[in-house]
């Protein structure tokens, strides 16, 4: 019954569009679906984050399976990032569960964090080629301890960001990995980033589920569109031009960031609603006492 209540073509189309972008670029699961749920469908920010985490995990499972078959996953990088991201995600989820009932302030914190991360992600998408060129200009022979520490710290930052706002495991993670491992083929970095995103999103999504922030009927409807979408995007990825995709994705992320900032600031206003309810009740009681 709940599934049919959520089912409409707008949800399916949104899931398919995001799935296509994930298949094309490896980015878009958290960066696009959470703003769509909050801004277009009016979903509660906490519920949007929790639902989107499981949505991203399910959608990227197909992508990681393809990269695993092609042997384009560096499991050493995945393990290093997981050493930072998994403990950070667990601690962040514990903090959210403890302070999760403060109401509007928590929602505003999530939306502001999401807006900041979306803006950073848009810059990362625009500057990715420049950062890659800079990484190749710098001496790639770095101390192994520095690369190891940087990878673990990157994982921790992504774990915190993903747990709060479901954003961070895509463009930001891949851009930093390109700088840390400039000699590694890009396809191998993309595969490693996607493979790391799956367990992290599952852990964070499970934590939000325990807190009560996952809408499973909505998740099911979104996956109806995203699974075919990610397959289509994967097939089209070899023919897509980065000159078109990257500016388009960066533009969408920037607009979503700005809209979330506006919505977060507007979210402070609805404090007059609880005041009107007692007033209406008192007025009703007064009217009832009249003969």
């Amino acid at each position: 019954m709940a599934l049919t209540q959520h089912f409409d073509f707008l949800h399916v189309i949104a899931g398919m569009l995001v799935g296509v972008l994930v298949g094309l670029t490896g980015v878009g699961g958290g960066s696009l679906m959470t703003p769509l749920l909050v801004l277009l469908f009016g979903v509660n920010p906490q519920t949007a984050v929790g639902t989107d985490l499981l949505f991203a995990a399910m959608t990227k499972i197909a992508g990681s399976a393809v990269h695993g078959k092609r042997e384009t996953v560096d499991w050493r990088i995945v393990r290093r990032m997981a050493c930072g991201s998994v403990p950070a995600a667990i601690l962040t989820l514990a903090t959210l569960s403890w302070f999760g009932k403060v109401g509007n302030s928590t929602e505003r914190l999530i939306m502001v964090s999401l807006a900041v991360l979306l803006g950073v992600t848009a810059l990362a998408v625009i500057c990715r080629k420049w950062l890659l060129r800079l990484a190749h200009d710098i001496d790639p022979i770095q101390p192994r301890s520095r690369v190891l520490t940087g990878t673990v710290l990157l994982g921790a930052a992504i774990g915190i960001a993903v747990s709060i706002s479901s954003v961070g495991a895509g463009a930001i993670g891949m851009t930093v990995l390109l700088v840390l491992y400039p000699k590694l083929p890009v396809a191998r970095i993309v595969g490693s980033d996607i493979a790391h995103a799956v367990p992290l999103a599952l852990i964070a999504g499970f934590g939000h589920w325990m807190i009560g922030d996952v809408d499973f009927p909505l998740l099911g409807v979104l996956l109806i569109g995203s699974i075919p979408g990610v397959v289509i995007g994967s097939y089209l990825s070899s023919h897509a031009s980065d000159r078109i995709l990257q500016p388009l994705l960066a533009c969408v992320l920037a607009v979503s960031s700005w809209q979330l900032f506006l919505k977060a600031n507007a979210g402070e206003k609805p404090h007059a609603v609880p005041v009107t309810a007692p007033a209406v009740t008192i007025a009703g009681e007064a009217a009832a006492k009249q003969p």
Side-chain angles (χ1 to χ4, degrees):
M1 196 73 173
L3 182 62
T4 57
Q5 178 182 356
H6 274 291
F7 187 85
D8 64 67
F9 286 107
L10 284 179
H11 288 96
V12 175
I13 292 172
M16 177 169 288
L17 290 177
V18 173
V20 170
L21 280 175
V22 170
L24 282 170
T25 64
V27 182
S31 302
L32 294 179
M33 182 51 72
T34 299
L36 280 175
L37 291 177
V38 174
L39 299 175
L40 185 61
F41 299 111
V43 178
N44 177 277
Q46 288 177 291
T47 303
V49 169
T51 304
D52 180 53
L53 284 168
L54 293 180
F55 166 83
M58 300 296 182
T59 302
K60 290 187 176 182
I61 282 175
S64 61
V66 173
H67 282 281
K69 289 181 179 180
R70 295 180 178 178
E71 298 183 352
T72 54
V73 176
D74 192 324
W75 296 108
R76 174 193 55 175
I77 295 178
V78 175
R79 287 193 298 269
R80 290 176 177 178
M81 295 179 69
C83 286
S85 65
V86 172
I90 293 174
L91 290 175
T92 304
L93 290 168
T95 304
L96 286 176
S97 65
W98 182 264
F99 296 102
K101 294 184 178 180
V102 296
N104 291 335
S105 60
T106 300
E107 294 182 7
R108 186 174 184 275
L109 172 63
I110 291 175
M111 284 197 289
V112 171
S113 302
L114 177 58
V116 172
L117 289 168
L118 284 175
V120 174
T121 305
L123 291 176
V125 172
I126 294 174
C127 302
R128 184 181 298 170
K129 288 186 177 181
W130 178 82
L131 290 173
L132 180 59
R133 206 180 313 123
L134 177 64
H136 279 287
D137 293 339
I138 299 175
D139 185 7
I141 305 176
Q142 302 180 25
R144 296 183 61 182
S145 60
R146 184 182 303 175
V147 176
L148 174 61
T149 304
T151 308
V152 174
L153 290 177
L154 170 64
I158 290 177
I160 295 172
V162 167
S163 299
I164 293 177
S165 65
S166 77
V167 178
I172 298 175
M174 194 155 54
T175 302
V176 178
L177 286 177
L178 286 171
V179 176
L180 289 173
Y181 301 91
K183 291 296 184 181
L184 210 60
V186 176
R188 199 166 179 83
I189 292 179
V190 172
S192 304
D193 185 67
I194 291 178
H196 168 258
V198 172
L200 175 60
L202 284 174
I203 292 172
F206 179 77
H208 279 272
W209 175 33
M210 297 301 292
I211 297 173
D213 292 334
V214 176
D215 189 332
F216 282 100
L218 175 61
L219 172 64
V221 174
L222 293 174
L223 289 175
I224 291 175
S226 71
I227 298 301
V230 74
V231 173
I232 294 172
S234 299
Y235 278 112
L236 294 176
S237 61
S238 58
H239 305 289
S241 172
D242 288 343
R243 294 180 179 179
I244 298 176
L245 287 177
Q246 290 187 0
L248 176 63
L249 182 59
C251 181
V252 172
L253 295 176
V255 171
S256 298
S257 174
W258 175 248
Q259 290 297 323
L260 279 177
F261 266 124
L262 295 179
K263 191 175 183 66
N265 292 329
E268 296 181 343
K269 297 179 180 179
H271 286 289
V273 175
V275 180
T276 59
V280 172
T281 305
I282 294 173
E285 292 177 354
K289 291 180 181 179
Q290 293 179 356

